[in-house]
Amino acid sequence: MAPFVWFQYYTPQKMNIRVLLFVLTFFAIVALALVPICLASENNSTPLDTGLTGNLWTGEALVGKPSPPRKKPDYKAKQTFTRLENGRSVTIQEVEPPQEAQKPDKPSPPAPPVKERTTPLAGGGKPLSTEFIVVSSTVYGEGDNTLTRLTVWNRNEQLTCWSNINGHYLTGFDQFKVEGQPYWMIPTAGDKAGLAQAADDGCPVHRFGRGGSTPRFILEKDRQTSPGLRKIVSDLHKLYRVEKPRLAAAHAARTRNARLRAGLPKPPPGPPEPVTIRFWRRDMAKEQEERGAGQ
């Protein structure tokens, strides 16, 4: 109210032009200073460059491409014997020794060195190498009302913590990134009893809020752990916060498809396929002679 009264009392005719410019400049600087603060608070709500980078499995049957037929050697049979064993036709053939493939004159060139998987930064900085992790989850409860005992392995180190996320949601995929850091993960998850059992197993249940709260974790033991492992666990929770709707839907689809497959009748076993066994006689004297000539 004071600025309004001040402007009403001091009209432009009575006010020095320099004072007017100073006041207008002061309010403009204050307004511009508030803009980045508002933008920063909005950007911090969701981690940037975070999400799944590979496939998310939903339990549907995958139809792969048929493998090409394998080329079989042209065997010349000298004699053949066929008999029936437990309803299966078994054929035994003595064949001529197959021709050996010609050995190359020069050794094959060495394989190129395996390059470490890296992800370039958007700003053109040093690329980030992919972190390989193994994640094991023991889930107590169901749905959002769950607690998980989370164990993470990386670079021969291990960290175990309790979390209020659903560890089943961290399965079904193996590639993701968090704030530009790429990860390759091997996940496993299993069920246990309800939340009461989690308390009996050492979980500080009272330190977690109800379902739907912000994903967070508590170290199982107050011991020294590497900052790298703590960052990995923190990144898993950031990913969970960003991708939770997709992860929950995929887990529900996997559960539904597993129940459908369990209810389908199994097809009756077909007749046993015939088996053919081939053998040939080796000329040991000739082989020893060839070995001596090669030395």
Side-chain angles (χ1 to χ4, degrees), residues 105-234:
D105 297 335
K106 297 181 180 180
S108 302
V114 179
K115 295 183 179 180
E116 191 174 13
R117 299 171 63 93
T118 58
T119 299
L121 295 177
K126 184 179 179 180
L128 298 174
S129 60
T130 301
E131 289 287 351
F132 296 88
I133 60 176
V134 178
V135 178
S136 174
S137 303
T138 303
V139 183
Y140 300 77
E142 296 180 356
D144 288 335
N145 191 24
T146 56
L147 291 172
T148 297
R149 186 174 183 266
L150 202 64
T151 304
V152 179
W153 289 269
N154 172 256
R155 300 178 186 270
N156 297 324
E157 292 184 309
Q158 173 184 337
L159 183 147
T160 302
C161 64
W162 289 95
S163 173
N164 59 350
I165 67 175
N166 189 331
H168 287 297
Y169 295 175
L170 295 181
T171 60
F173 65 96
D174 55 11
Q175 299 177 59
F176 63 95
K177 61 180 177 179
V178 177
E179 297 177 351
Q181 171 63 57
Y183 287 95
W184 195 295
M185 176 178 66
I186 300 177
T188 61
D191 288 302
K192 254 197 170 181
L195 300 181
Q197 182 63 42
D200 295 340
D201 290 349
C203 175
V205 179
H206 61 282
R207 297 177 61 182
F208 291 103
R210 292 291 181 181
S213 59
T214 302
R216 62 192 186 95
F217 63 94
I218 300 172
L219 296 182
E220 188 179 48
K221 296 181 180 179
D222 295 332
R223 59 185 179 183
Q224 295 292 331
T225 56
S226 66
L229 273 177
R230 289 198 296 270
K231 180 183 182 302
I232 291 173
V233 175
S234 177

Side-chain angles (χ1 to χ4, degrees), residues 60-72:
E60 299 177 358
L62 300 178
V63 180
K65 296 181 179 180
S67 57
R70 186 178 60 178
K71 185 179 180 180
K72 298 181 180 180

Side-chain angles (χ1 to χ4, degrees), residues 72-77 79 91-96 275-280:
K72 298 181 180 180
D74 187 13
Y75 293 105
K76 295 181 179 180
Q79 52 182 336
T91 300
I92 302 176
Q93 288 184 341
E94 181 185 2
V95 299
E96 295 286 348
V275 175
T276 301
I277 302 173
R278 298 181 177 92
F279 72 94
W280 58 88

Side-chain angles (χ1 to χ4, degrees), residues 30-48:
V30 172
L32 291 175
L34 292 176
V35 171
I37 296 176
C38 298
L39 293 177
S41 63
E42 293 178 0
N43 291 337
N44 290 335
S45 60
T46 302
L48 299 177

